Amino acid sequence: MTPIDKLTSTAVPLPLPNIDTDQIIPKQFLKRIERTGYGDFLFYDWRYELDIPDHVEEKKDFVLNNPAYKGSQILIAEKNFGCGSSREHAAWAIAQYGFLAVIAPSFADIFFSNAGKNGIILVRLTEEETETLIKKCTANPKHELTINLEAQTVTDADGFSAHFDIDPFRKYCLLNGLDDIGLTLRHESDLDKFEENHNKEFWLSPKSDKAA
């Protein structure tokens, strides 16, 4: 994972509550064996006209298809984001599309865990604060927000400022770009030493009398 400390970006407003993982990444894409390329299918049913035979066309009225929001690294939604099934593909799709952070009043627990392990900052603000940011970014697609993970704040150039809480362990992992594998590899030398000692103790040498 890439370490994240401070993120300044425009933000995509998606003013809907209870956005579930089947909308984030529809079930038909779970059959893929790759772990990459899911950004193309993020919000697939909302992004594309699916009733046109043998042709996929973008819906012009869906926010992700608005050129003004291209390159935004922050997504803003309403409460209970990521509810539904526990598919990790939802976090993959968000990250691989290019979002580094999601702001919402609340998140489903399993999605919250999956997102953190995939390097996504999840920012819980109040419903009023979230609504304010949605309005700002809807009125002006070029409106920039700054998420300061170290300080645990969200600010903008107009004077908006809000504090968010985050688990210290998850904060540490995001600041240092550590997923589960990265956390394990911090102890690589100890693991190598344990493996070496284990082999000496339990593996028989080809020249051992016991092996004869």
Side-chain angles (χ1 to χ4, degrees):
M1 292 186 346
T2 303
I4 303 177
D5 181 5
K6 186 180 292 185
L7 171 63
T8 298
S9 171
T10 55
V12 173
L14 195 56
L16 295 170
N18 305 311
I19 296 175
D20 63 37
T21 53
D22 193 50
Q23 293 296 346
I24 296 172
I25 182 72
K27 58 185 179 299
Q28 65 265 34
F29 300 112
L30 307 189
K31 297 181 290 185
R32 303 175 79 245
I33 60 173
E34 303 90 345
R35 286 193 58 174
T36 58
Y38 288 91
D40 294 337
F41 311 122
L42 178 67
F43 299 124
Y44 189 82
D45 292 347
W46 292 347
R47 284 169 71 185
Y48 300 105
E49 298 285 358
L50 305 179
D51 298 330
I52 305 174
D54 303 319
H55 181 65
V56 176
E57 182 177 319
E58 290 185 347
K59 294 181 179 178
K60 293 182 173 56
D61 59 349
F62 185 63
V63 65
L64 287 193
N65 297 329
N66 185 336
Y69 291 102
K70 295 297 182 185
S72 295
Q73 295 178 303
I74 301 172
L75 176 66
I76 312 175
E78 295 183 0
K79 63 182 180 180
N80 201 28
F81 186 88
C83 57
S85 71
S86 60
R87 64 192 71 170
E88 190 175 8
H89 304 68
W92 298 348
I94 289 172
Q96 291 169 21
Y97 181 83
F99 289 121
L100 299 179
V102 182
I103 299 173
S106 59
F107 298 90
D109 290 341
I110 296 178
F111 174 80
F112 193 90
S113 176
N114 287 339
K117 292 179 180 180
N118 284 275
I120 304 169
I121 303 175
L122 296 188
V123 177
R124 286 180 286 207
L125 299 183
T126 66
E127 291 189 19
E128 291 76 17
E129 291 166 340
T130 304
E131 183 179 357
T132 295
L133 295 182
I134 287 175
K135 288 180 178 178
K136 284 174 175 279
C137 295
T138 300
N140 178 17
K142 299 303 180 184
H143 185 78
E144 289 190 332
L145 306 177
T146 295
I147 298 174
N148 187 322
L149 181 58
E150 182 63 53
Q152 298 176 210
T153 59
V154 180
T155 57
D156 69 11
D158 296 338
F160 177 91
S161 181
H163 181 271
F164 63 94
D165 294 325
I166 187 171
D167 174 76
F169 174 71
R170 183 57 58 203
K171 178 179 178 180
Y172 172 82
C173 291
L174 289 167
L175 285 171
N176 292 278
L178 295 171
D179 56 13
D180 289 348
I181 295 175
L183 286 166
T184 302
L185 289 178
R186 291 184 308 161
H187 307 285
E188 186 173 11
S189 61
D190 292 333
L191 292 169
D192 288 343
K193 186 180 297 184
F194 172 84
E195 185 177 7
E196 181 181 352
N197 292 335
H198 179 275
N199 289 343
K200 287 179 180 178
E201 183 174 356
F202 294 101
W203 285 54
L204 298 177
S205 168
K207 297 182 180 179
S208 170
D209 292 340
K210 295 181 181 179

